[in-house]
């Protein structure tokens, strides 16, 4: 059997024309040879070999392995042999048949891999949900599950505090959980080719984010908070409906009598003290929001008009951002001036 080695510590057996049994035997022989050698095998490449299970020799013959590539095989499970690789940093298992019950070994989150594994690529498999055991791999820096069948992103994704790159493109994800914003080191977020309809404003807390890929989704607008991503260098939005359908579906429900009364108190600066009103009304009055129209002095509480405004971003993009106005008149430049003439500038905001 030919060995293509890029270095003495790497064994590259890609696309070998041998049976899985022969490959297993050869690996066992190599493992036996290395037991008496001072040099440890660090990288083992076994892609495209029609493997249906991990070689048994992994369990005892390669204790110092740092990279394992078993991509492009026919694996339906990663067996317990994986748990013995206490120093493994990179696991590449893309384009297999993983995703069913038992695809990952039991005890993965409690194994030494919890502290050593930094790069995990499971793209091109059949996962319908993110396995809970993956969310216990606290040392992960790169996680790729593109091209699976994921329906959602669990809130527990925030457990991966070391994560720098998250690739979940090409799935069936509909929502982005706000907890994703709790990943302080995240630099690259790829959520393209999904079914996402909105972006939570909490993503503006990803202060390390440099690249955000959202193309080919169902986005109709972006939250204005996205302008806070000051380190963002790349933003991909092509293939989204963005504005057209959103504007067509806009609706406006008139404010309640409670809100009308509260607006009057704020706009006319009617004074009151904590002894004049019950606590629930004081809290309600304290929740007023300024109308962002610079020509309007109004406020709103629960009822507002949604409006799209295009804003320059990073000097390269024109982004459609969501704005909330106090009334339909505020969206009309002709009526803004007359509305502001009867409004006062002094008011409480949240």
């Amino acid at each position: 059997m030919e060995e293509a080695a890029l270095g003495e510590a790497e064994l590259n057996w890609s696309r070998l024309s041998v049976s899985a049994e022969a490959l297993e035997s050869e690996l066992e022989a190599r493992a036996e040879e290395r037991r008496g050698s001072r040099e440890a095998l660090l990288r083992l490449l076994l892609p495209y070999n029609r493997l249906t299970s991990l070689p048994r020799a992994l369990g005892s013959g390669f204790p110092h392995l740092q990279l394992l590539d078993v991509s492009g095989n026919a694996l339906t499970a990663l067996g317990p042999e994986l748990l013995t690789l206490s120093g493994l940093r990179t696991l590449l298992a893309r384009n297999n048949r993983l995703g069913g019950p038992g695809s990952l070994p039991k005890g993965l989150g409690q194994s030494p891999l919890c502290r050593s594994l930094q790069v995990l690529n499971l793209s091109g498999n059949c996962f319908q949900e993110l396995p809970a055991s993956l969310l216990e791999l606290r040392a992960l820096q790169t996680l790729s599950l593109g091209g699976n069948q994921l329906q959602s992103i669990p809130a527990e994704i925030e457990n991966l505090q070391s994560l720098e790159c998250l690739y979940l493109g090409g799935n069936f994800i509909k929502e982005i959980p706000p907890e994703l914003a709790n990943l302080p080191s995240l630099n690259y977020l790829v959520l393209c080719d999904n079914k996402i309809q909105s972006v939570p404003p909490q993503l503006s807390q990803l202060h390390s984010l440099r690249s955000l890929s959202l193309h080919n989704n169902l986005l109709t607008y972006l939250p204005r908070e996205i302008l806070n991503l000051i380190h963002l260098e790349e933003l991909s939005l092509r293939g989204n409906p963005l504005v057209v359908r959103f504007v067509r579906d806009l609706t406006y429900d008139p404010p309640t009598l409670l809100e009308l009364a509260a607006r009057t108190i704020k706009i006319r600066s009617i004074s009151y003290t904590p002894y004049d009103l019950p606590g629930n009304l004081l809290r309600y009055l304290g929740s007023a929001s300024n109308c962002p129209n610079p020509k309007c002095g109004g406020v709103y509480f629960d009822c507002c008009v949604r409006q799209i405004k295009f804003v320059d971003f990073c000097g390269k993009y024109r982004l459609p951002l969501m704005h909330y106005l106090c009334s339909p008149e505020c969206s009309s430049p002709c009526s803004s001036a007359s509305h502001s003439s009867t409004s006062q500038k002094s008011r409480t905001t949240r």
Side-chain angles (χ1 to χ4, degrees):
M1 180 181 296
E2 288 189 14
E3 175 183 332
L6 300 180
E8 293 182 352
E10 176 174 300
L11 189 59
N12 187 345
W13 284 351
S14 175
R15 299 181 186 273
L16 297 179
S17 300
V18 298
S19 65
E21 291 77 9
L23 178 61
E24 179 78 49
S25 298
E26 188 65 22
L27 275 177
E28 290 177 353
R30 292 303 177 94
E32 187 64 32
E33 291 175 6
R34 293 197 173 258
R35 285 193 181 94
S37 172
R38 294 182 178 181
E39 184 180 4
L41 184 68
L42 302 180
R43 297 164 58 90
L44 179 58
L45 311 181
L46 300 173
Y48 304 102
N49 279 299
R50 295 172 292 181
L51 296 174
T52 56
S53 61
L54 291 180
R56 293 186 301 274
L58 288 178
S60 57
F62 307 100
H64 303 290
L65 206 61
Q66 295 182 2
L67 182 147
L68 174 62
D69 186 355
V70 289
S71 302
N73 285 289
L75 299 174
T76 57
L78 299 176
E81 297 84 2
L82 189 65
L83 303 181
T84 64
L85 303 177
S86 58
L88 194 67
R89 298 178 182 176
T90 301
L91 174 59
L92 309 178
R94 60 186 184 274
N95 299 331
N96 278 283
R97 300 174 185 174
L98 303 170
S103 291
L104 301 179
K106 293 181 179 180
L108 177 62
Q110 292 75 44
S111 71
L113 291 176
C114 171
R115 298 182 295 274
S116 68
L117 197 61
Q118 298 175 0
V119 178
L120 177 59
N121 192 327
L122 295 173
S123 294
N125 281 284
C126 308
F127 288 98
Q128 295 185 10
E129 59 183 21
L130 209 59
S133 57
L134 291 189
L135 302 174
E136 299 179 33
L137 300 175
R138 305 302 174 91
L140 271 185
Q141 298 177 6
T142 299
L143 176 60
S144 301
L145 281 110
N148 277 272
Q149 302 170 23
L150 298 177
Q151 306 289 322
S152 62
I153 305 173
E156 291 77 13
I157 192 74
E158 65 181 359
N159 295 341
L160 303 179
Q161 288 289 293
S162 299
L163 204 60
E164 298 178 4
C165 176
L166 178 60
Y167 189 104
L168 298 177
N171 284 285
F172 302 97
I173 298 167
K174 296 180 180 179
E175 296 181 356
I176 303 175
E179 290 80 5
L180 198 61
N182 297 330
L183 299 176
S185 302
L186 196 64
N187 291 323
Y188 300 93
L189 177 57
V190 181
L191 296 171
C192 59
D193 299 293
N194 278 285
K195 298 181 181 297
I196 298 169
Q197 299 183 32
S198 63
V199 176
Q202 289 86 347
L203 284 197
S204 62
Q205 301 170 22
L206 292 172
H207 301 303
S208 299
L209 197 64
R210 297 186 178 276
S211 178
L212 177 59
S213 296
L214 292 168
H215 53 269
N216 297 331
N217 276 285
L218 301 175
L219 295 174
T220 54
Y221 68 93
L222 296 176
R224 58 189 305 183
E225 288 84 356
I226 201 171
L227 294 176
N228 295 329
L229 296 173
I230 58 176
H231 296 295
L232 197 65
E233 299 174 354
E234 181 181 8
L235 176 63
S236 178
L237 292 170
R238 67 182 185 274
N240 281 285
L242 289 178
V243 180
V244 177
R245 187 174 62 189
F246 175 77
V247 172
R248 183 190 64 202
D249 294 341
L250 280 179
T251 58
Y252 175 71
D253 295 323
T256 63
L257 292 176
L258 172 64
E259 177 155 352
L260 287 173
R263 288 189 184 193
T264 300
I265 291 174
K266 288 296 184 180
I267 291 173
R268 299 187 179 181
S269 299
I270 298 175
S271 61
Y272 58 89
T273 70
Y275 302 102
D276 297 329
L277 299 170
N280 61 319
L281 292 182
L282 290 172
R283 288 190 294 272
Y284 186 75
L285 286 168
S287 67
S289 292
N290 287 341
C291 181
N293 186 339
K295 297 181 179 181
C296 174
V299 298
Y300 65 87
F301 293 83
D302 302 315
C303 179
C304 58
V305 175
R306 296 173 296 176
Q307 184 190 51
I308 291 293
K309 181 178 180 181
F310 283 88
V311 177
D312 287 323
F313 182 56
C314 296
K316 298 186 291 185
Y317 309 107
R318 292 277 290 170
L319 298 184
L321 302 183
M322 176 75 82
H323 286 250
Y324 297 93
L325 306 175
C326 66
S327 70
E329 287 78 12
C330 281
S331 61
S332 172
C334 297
S335 57
S336 296
S338 62
H339 186 274
S340 62
S341 64
T342 60
S343 302
Q344 301 297 321
K345 294 296 183 182
S346 175
R347 57 198 179 274
T348 304
T349 62
R350 62 181 175 185

